[in-house]
Amino acid sequence: MISVPRKVFRKAQASPFSLLALFVAMALHWASAVAAQDFFTLKGHGGPIKGIAVGPDGSIVTASFDNSVGLWRSGTPEWMERHDAAVNAVAYLGRGRIVSAGDDYTVQYWDSDAGVVRQLGQHQAKVLQLTAAPDGSAVAAASWDRTAQIWSLDPDVAPVVFEGHDNTVNDVAFSPDGARLYTASSDGTIRMWDAASGTYIQRLVAHGFGINTIVVAPDESWLAYGAVDGGTRVISLPDGAEMGDYTADRRPVLAMAFNAEAARIAIGDAHGYIMMIDTDAWRIADDFQATLSGPIWALAFSPDGRNIHAGGLDNAMYSWPVARLSTENAMADTKRSFLKNPEEMSNGERQFQRKCSICHTLGPDSERRAGPTLYNLFGRPAGAIEGYPYSPILQNSELVWSEQTVDQLFDIGPDHFIPGSKMPMQRITAQNDRDDLIAFLKTATGPGE
């Protein structure tokens, strides 16, 4: 749902037709917000926001740690839940067509209007970023398998593979005409390739530290990048000469976005700041602390450049007017439960917060999360929560959750205890820690059946 300011809610309450008035007020506020005229939030995910994309009409797509993709074309989101792990990146192709990718290695295509969902392809490791080709016919993906690949929307067209980096590929960007692909890697380099053939053209940057994010100018005259050491630089194209260094004393840089209308590059870092570079004057125009806890993982401008959308540890996407950044409030200081002071928790709760809390809730609610609720866990058959998209291995399992099965799960790890399930690889090696976790869960999740 979209967050509605109190003044809008109170105005609706004052009407004799309060429910209708509230609905109209929400619709009007949504239209205003998407038109990039106000601060707003998008709420509905059950995990941190990892990726954001926008359409020419102002539609917004969000990718989350909760394994889902949200399409926001009105006050009520449309959901795509096909991934088996966190979704890291989205590309919006317009008219309800979306491509997403994430920790399950897959690249998925979703046509919301036509009701079509299919897999475009699969990497050999996590996919970190996506970017759409200028003509909308394909997407490029950056993966931890040390390759970039261009995946066509035409299922009969084979992917173009870009190989040569010595470490993970973290970001990709097309040239404005789609003829070249730029790749950024943890090996500290940025490289240019022929997009049609995958042929290597040249190395543009050898930074010395891993490069996480890049943006390319609409006229291909410059490229900006952000690195693990906090390095934030702009180089000219195609020679790679440095045009400007905007490095702040914060590291690493995690996200970038550019909008020609605003003439701004937005840069997000691990300390929760969004820096704005004015590309007309080539100066730092703003340096805004967008969140008081945690990183900025995703950035995107509204089409007209008036708003900057951001995602981080919160379960919501936030959007601020670019012209008023210095006067706006930061994201809600909602610290994730796994960041809670360990001294305030029992050992069992500490184990839960560190290993389980980002994916699972403890109560009977149906909040969207990467994993199902743990409410009434003990005595419950695996795969029994209605509406949760379990993996086939759990849907067909005869496993029942008990003290013994939970202990085994964390003793040998989910990848050995339930091979093929969605649970990430993790273990709790000490028996006393497992005992304390089980004791906490028995109290916190309610009685078994």
Side-chain angles (χ1 to χ4, degrees):
M1 61 176 289
I2 188 166
S3 176
V4 181
R6 284 182 189 167
K7 62 182 180 180
V8 175
F9 183 77
R10 287 171 179 166
K11 184 176 180 181
Q13 281 186 313
S15 165
F17 304 102
S18 58
L19 290 177
L20 177 60
L22 178 58
F23 175 80
V24 172
M26 288 177 68
L28 291 174
H29 181 69
W30 165 261
S32 172
V34 169
Q37 297 173 359
D38 203 357
F39 168 85
F40 65 94
T41 63
L42 300 180
K43 297 180 179 180
H45 279 289
I49 307 301
K50 302 297 296 292
I52 305 170
V54 297
D57 60 352
S59 298
I60 298 169
V61 185
T62 50
S64 173
F65 191 89
D66 68 4
N67 301 4
S68 69
V69 176
L71 172 58
W72 309 78
R73 294 190 285 190
S74 66
T76 302
E78 304 165 57
W79 298 106
M80 191 275 277
E81 296 176 313
R82 185 176 171 90
H83 286 279
D84 291 332
V87 188
N88 297 322
V90 281
Y92 189 37
L93 306 179
R95 301 191 305 279
R97 298 176 303 142
I98 296 161
V99 178
S100 57
D103 283 2
D104 62 357
Y105 307 178
T106 69
V107 181
Q108 304 283 352
Y109 172 73
W110 176 32
D111 187 331
S112 175
D113 293 346
V116 174
V117 182
R118 61 183 173 87
Q119 183 171 304
L120 292 184
Q122 183 168 331
H123 280 261
Q124 298 303 306
K126 297 179 181 182
V127 181
L128 271 292
Q129 287 292 350
L130 294 171
T131 187
D135 65 0
S137 65
V139 294
S143 173
W144 278 13
D145 65 8
R146 302 189 177 192
T147 74
Q149 297 193 42
I150 294 179
W151 300 92
S152 173
L153 299 189
D154 184 343
D156 295 326
V157 175
V160 182
V161 182
F162 303 80
E163 296 181 290
H165 280 290
D166 296 326
N167 210 322
T168 60
V169 181
N170 298 325
D171 204 0
V172 284
F174 279 102
S175 63
D177 60 4
R180 288 162 296 285
L181 188 74
Y182 296 89
T183 57
S185 170
S186 292
D187 65 13
T189 69
I190 297 174
R191 305 187 183 202
M192 182 197 299
W193 314 74
D194 179 80
S197 65
T199 302
Y200 174 66
I201 299 175
Q202 69 180 93
R203 187 183 70 184
L204 296 167
V205 170
H207 182 70
F209 291 87
I211 298 173
N212 287 333
T213 181
I214 54 176
V215 293
V216 174
D219 62 359
E220 208 176 0
S221 62
W222 54 261
L223 177 149
Y225 72 87
V228 171
D229 67 336
T232 307
R233 297 188 179 134
V234 179
I235 61 170
S236 61
L237 294 175
D239 60 7
E242 185 173 305
M243 294 172 54
D245 187 341
Y246 304 90
T247 302
D249 188 22
R250 301 186 296 266
R251 62 184 68 182
V253 176
L254 300 173
M256 276 188 171
F258 173 71
N259 183 273
E261 293 292 323
R264 293 288 189 274
I265 302 171
I267 299 142
D269 63 41
H271 294 264
Y273 281 79
I274 300 175
M275 179 192 292
M276 290 285 184
I277 298 175
D278 181 335
T279 58
D280 287 337
W282 290 112
R283 63 178 181 86
I284 297 175
D286 224 321
D287 197 20
F288 172 60
Q289 188 168 12
T291 175
L292 303 179
S293 59
I296 299 295
W297 273 320
L299 289 169
F301 282 94
S302 60
D304 59 11
R306 294 185 183 181
N307 269 44
I308 183 67
H309 312 320
L313 277 180
D314 285 354
N315 293 355
M317 191 211 80
Y318 290 74
S319 183
W320 295 270
V322 170
R324 302 199 305 271
L325 274 182
S326 59
T327 64
E328 291 289 347
N329 294 324
M331 293 180 182
D333 189 19
T334 305
K335 295 183 179 179
R336 302 299 311 204
S337 55
F338 54 80
L339 299 177
K340 186 178 176 181
N341 186 346
E343 297 178 359
E344 299 175 3
M345 299 180 284
S346 67
N347 183 47
E349 185 179 2
R350 281 197 298 271
Q351 300 303 321
F352 170 77
Q353 302 295 5
R354 292 170 179 172
K355 298 291 186 178
C356 315
S357 66
I358 198 167
C359 293
H360 301 278
T361 60
L362 295 169
D365 61 82
S366 57
E367 182 181 354
R368 178 173 281 101
R369 289 290 180 94
T373 177
L374 300 183
Y375 185 69
N376 276 345
L377 175 67
F378 293 92
R380 189 176 83 196
I385 298 296
E386 186 175 350
Y388 179 77
Y390 288 98
S391 57
I393 190 70
L394 277 181
Q395 285 178 335
N396 300 315
S397 171
E398 296 182 358
L399 175 69
V400 175
W401 294 116
S402 65
E403 294 181 35
Q404 292 72 31
T405 54
V406 172
D407 180 76
Q408 286 181 276
L409 174 73
F410 287 104
D411 183 17
I412 65 176
D415 49 320
H416 294 292
F417 186 61
I418 321 172
S421 76
K422 296 181 181 180
M423 286 191 67
M425 292 181 289
Q426 56 184 328
R427 294 180 62 204
I428 299 176
T429 56
Q431 182 67 59
N432 66 298
D433 288 339
R434 297 198 302 274
D435 290 343
D436 289 346
L437 171 64
I438 291 167
F440 170 76
L441 290 175
K442 290 190 73 174
T443 300
T445 62
E449 295 181 1

